[in-house]
Amino acid sequence: MGRFLCDKVRPYLTLTHYVIDMWFAKIIKPRCAGKSAMVRYADDIVFCFEHEEEARRFYQALKERLAKFKLELSEEKSKIVKFGINAGKDTGKFDFLGFTHLIGKSRTGKPCVKRMTSSKKLKAKRQNAKKWLKENMHTPIKILVDKLNRKLRGHYNYYGIIGNYDAMSGSRAYVLDRLKAVLGRRGSKDMTYEKFRRILEHNPVIMPRIVRRV
């Protein structure tokens, strides 16, 4: 799989439909001896090639194509990755749309593609949660937890893909830890685990859930 992120073409999304999308479909794909495909969401793109040599030729051709329109490839975010269930021990991994894609094993022990929340997104989400809880420290508990649950529900709806439950569970555990900390700062007494448990009994924080299995 060849994977390239063209983050510097963000202001030119209409143009890139012509510069990249149509070019790939009409020029590149028909010339490939092996299978090829393109997946794009906004300015994030994954190009897939069956043959490594075709991926490498395309990588150079893409840079030249963008240069014609005074655009450029983000070299630091672009790379060629050997990827797939038949790639053996050499298979790599890549990030796309907030997920790290990698080859793992199913519950039956068969190789399969797994998607987990990327470490970069996970770090950003935790920083945002910590900041938000601190800013809303003095919000009444019921209102605070209701708002928190809406945020978590949105997180679960996006990241709730099979194989990613542990990452979502870790996010919830982090949020609970930060929630306990900010509630403890509201009063003069420490927030004990028993007191926090009673608060959660009356104001439960929703659990992660899998919403997509593919």
Side-chain angles (χ1 to χ4, degrees):
M1 169 178 284
R3 179 223 182 222
F4 313 102
L5 298 186
C6 308
D7 68 332
K8 294 188 179 182
V9 300
R10 185 171 288 118
Y12 311 99
L13 292 181
T14 301
L15 179 59
T16 57
H17 176 71
Y18 168 74
V19 175
I20 299 177
D21 299 33
M22 293 180 63
W23 172 66
F24 183 84
K26 295 182 179 296
I27 304 298
I28 300 299
K29 191 175 177 67
R31 295 179 179 177
C32 290
K35 295 179 180 178
S36 62
M38 169 185 167
V39 181
R40 175 157 83 87
Y41 182 84
D43 59 333
D44 284 352
I45 312 175
V46 171
F47 296 99
C48 310
F49 296 90
E50 183 177 2
H51 302 311
E52 182 178 345
E53 61 274 16
E54 292 184 339
R56 295 194 179 280
R57 283 200 300 268
F58 173 74
Y59 186 34
Q60 182 59 38
L62 178 59
K63 289 190 287 186
E64 295 171 359
R65 175 71 174 176
L66 292 175
K68 289 181 180 180
F69 296 88
K70 297 182 180 180
L71 302 173
E72 62 180 324
L73 196 67
S74 176
E75 296 281 359
E76 63 181 19
K77 295 182 179 180
S78 305
K79 59 183 177 180
I80 297 177
V81 178
K82 187 175 182 181
F83 185 83
I85 59 175
N86 296 319
K89 295 181 179 180
D90 294 334
T91 188
K93 58 183 179 180
F94 64 95
D95 289 350
F96 185 55
L97 302 182
F99 290 93
T100 295
H101 296 67
L102 68 159
I103 300 299
K105 290 186 177 180
S106 67
R107 291 182 178 179
T108 59
K110 295 181 179 180
C112 66
V113 177
K114 288 195 170 185
R115 304 168 190 85
M116 301 174 3
T117 310
S118 71
S119 57
K120 182 179 179 180
K121 285 294 182 181
L122 194 59
K123 182 179 179 180
K125 290 282 186 180
R126 290 185 174 187
Q127 289 176 341
N128 290 338
K130 181 179 180 180
K131 181 175 181 289
W132 183 83
L133 285 168
K134 186 176 180 180
E135 292 173 346
N136 290 271
M137 180 187 303
H138 298 292
T139 301
I141 292 177
K142 185 181 186 309
I143 296 175
L144 177 62
V145 174
D146 283 346
K147 290 182 176 180
L148 180 61
N149 279 336
R150 285 198 291 271
K151 290 181 177 294
L152 285 173
R153 188 172 291 109
H155 181 80
Y156 299 157
N157 285 341
Y158 186 82
Y159 288 101
I161 190 167
I162 191 167
N164 197 38
Y165 188 89
D166 288 347
M168 292 192 298
S169 182
S171 294
R172 180 180 181 273
Y174 177 83
V175 167
L176 288 177
D177 181 71
R178 290 299 88 206
L179 177 62
K180 178 179 179 295
V182 298
L183 292 179
R185 297 192 188 108
R186 288 165 56 143
S188 57
K189 295 182 179 179
D190 291 335
M191 174 63 64
T192 64
Y193 282 101
E194 179 59 29
K195 185 176 181 180
F196 187 55
R197 184 186 64 79
R198 291 197 300 269
I199 289 174
L200 293 181
E201 283 181 353
H202 294 90
N203 304 276
V205 174
I206 61 174
M207 294 291 293
R209 66 190 186 96
I210 299 298
V211 297
R212 297 186 302 281
R213 297 191 174 276
V214 292

